[in-house]
Amino acid sequence: MVTLRELPVEELFGPGHRLCAGCGPAISMRMLTKAFRGPTVVTNATGCVEVASSIYPFNAWGVPWVHTAFENAAATASGIEAGFKALRRKGKLERNVDVIAIGGDGGTFDIGIQALSGALERGHDFVYLCYDNEAYMNTGIQRSGATPHGAATTTSPAGSKIPGKPEWKKDLIGICIAHGIDYAATASIAYWNDYVTKVRKAIEVDGPAVVHVLAPCPLGWRSEPKDTIKIAKLAVQTRFFPIYEYDKGTYRLSIKVPNPKPVEEFLKLQGRFRHLFQPEFADEIRKIQDYVDRNYERIAKLSGEP
């Protein structure tokens, strides 16, 4: 894994953005840029990071950066990568340029998944980074395909009809792996060296690679800004968000959790789950714990862990 001494001092993200205090996506972007190795172009779908990092006439990015619509970050990355490939073929470009596509969970799990699927199937050489704050935070905290079961959002409010979002979170990495790509991984901003190392590994892959990083949102999770890293760590230590990678057919649990904390430890710091601690919703926490246990065991089994 990368060490502190190996991180570049140069800051390629910020200052100058307008993201919230304690914003997980902002932290994930700064860490992302620490993994860049040379000429890099970023294409960024509409979302929290995009709107808050490019308010005219300001720009927080220290690399060439393209804003794309909600649905087409992967399609834009495909075009950029193909363009550079054509220039190299014609002898007009000598160096390789790394292409990074960035989308939130809304722009990836839901609106952008068609473009992502096409880009992965065509085998474009780029990295897709999904920063996952588990809802459409930029437009008013609406539920997304990444929102976990039981979370209260403005479109899945907790009440007498539903206990927050009734559905379960999509398996984004599983969907990406099914395309036959060489590399995909999950990460957490609480484990910066694992995250930065995985991004660099994804950049060095010859072909498409996907990194899915959990990035808590104090506004939408209704948590204290000072607790962002603490909550990101609890997501891993309760097994709520397993950290693993898939590398050319081999799964590996990157952060093993032999003695997990109860999932309540992760849930209780967030206002979006506050209703689950009322007596009428007690069964929902048991369902979440069962789901978390089964999902971790599934990934551990794929990784060859007992």
Side-chain angles (χ1 to χ4, degrees):
M1 281 187 190
V2 67
T3 65
L4 273 176
R5 285 177 180 272
E6 295 168 329
L7 291 182
V9 175
E10 185 182 20
E11 299 289 352
L12 297 177
F13 180 73
H17 63 73
R18 303 294 198 277
L19 290 156
C20 303
C23 172
I27 297 169
S28 73
M29 290 303 115
R30 187 183 179 201
M31 292 180 180
L32 165 74
T33 61
K34 296 293 182 184
F36 289 175
R37 63 178 177 179
T40 305
V41 172
V42 171
T43 178
N44 193 171
T46 298
C48 297
V49 168
E50 178 273 318
V51 300
S53 68
S54 61
I55 300 174
Y56 182 82
F58 304 103
N59 188 329
W61 292 90
V63 296
W65 178 91
V66 182
H67 168 220
T68 62
F70 237 138
E71 69 276 17
N72 61 352
T76 305
S78 301
I80 294 170
E81 187 265 352
F84 285 137
K85 188 183 294 181
L87 289 174
R88 287 197 299 276
R89 188 170 60 244
K90 294 176 181 177
K92 296 182 178 179
L93 182 68
E94 294 183 358
R95 297 187 66 182
N96 187 44
V97 179
D98 298 322
V99 180
I100 312 291
I102 298 171
D105 51 290
T108 305
F109 283 67
D110 301 334
I111 302 173
I113 199 164
Q114 183 179 13
L116 176 59
S117 176
L120 298 180
E121 185 268 333
R122 292 189 300 272
H124 290 281
D125 185 12
F126 76 117
V127 176
Y128 192 97
L129 180 90
C130 174
Y131 66 92
D132 182 7
N133 54 20
E134 299 193 323
Y136 291 83
M137 302 308 184
N138 178 50
T139 52
I141 318 176
Q142 297 91 359
R143 57 86 81 193
S144 77
T147 304
H149 175 86
T153 71
T154 53
T155 50
S156 60
S160 58
K161 298 296 182 183
I162 57 172
K165 185 188 172 189
E167 301 83 13
W168 300 88
K169 187 184 186 100
K170 284 184 188 176
D171 178 11
L172 175 68
I173 291 299
I175 293 169
C176 294
I177 292 171
H179 286 75
I181 64 175
D182 281 347
Y183 189 79
T186 62
S188 165
I189 58 172
Y191 296 87
W192 62 268
N193 49 354
D194 174 74
Y195 172 40
V196 173
T197 300
K198 284 174 172 170
V199 172
R200 173 56 75 88
K201 188 181 286 189
I203 290 173
E204 292 173 351
V205 167
D206 184 17
V210 179
V211 177
H212 174 196
V213 60
L214 185 69
C217 168
L219 179 67
W221 293 22
R222 295 166 204 148
S223 57
E224 293 293 329
K226 66 180 176 61
D227 289 336
T228 295
I229 296 298
K230 180 179 181 180
I231 291 172
K233 191 169 186 177
L234 279 170
V236 179
Q237 292 300 319
T238 59
R239 296 180 171 178
F240 186 88
F241 192 82
I243 302 299
Y244 67 102
E245 68 178 353
Y246 171 87
D247 189 355
K248 296 179 180 176
T250 301
Y251 287 83
R252 184 178 69 87
L253 262 177
S254 313
I255 310 290
K256 298 176 185 176
V257 188
N259 300 302
K261 296 179 180 180
V263 74
E264 288 96 326
E265 296 295 308
F266 170 70
L267 304 177
K268 69 183 182 183
L269 292 178
Q270 304 169 56
R272 63 178 178 158
F273 294 118
R274 186 171 296 135
H275 58 284
L276 298 183
F277 292 88
Q278 301 301 315
E280 61 267 35
F281 292 128
D283 195 46
E284 296 302 323
I285 293 182
R286 182 190 60 76
K287 290 179 183 177
I288 294 172
Q289 184 68 66
D290 287 346
Y291 175 85
V292 165
D293 291 343
R294 282 187 283 108
N295 189 47
Y296 185 89
E297 288 168 6
R298 177 182 67 85
I299 294 167
K301 188 175 181 180
L302 288 169
S303 304
E305 299 289 337

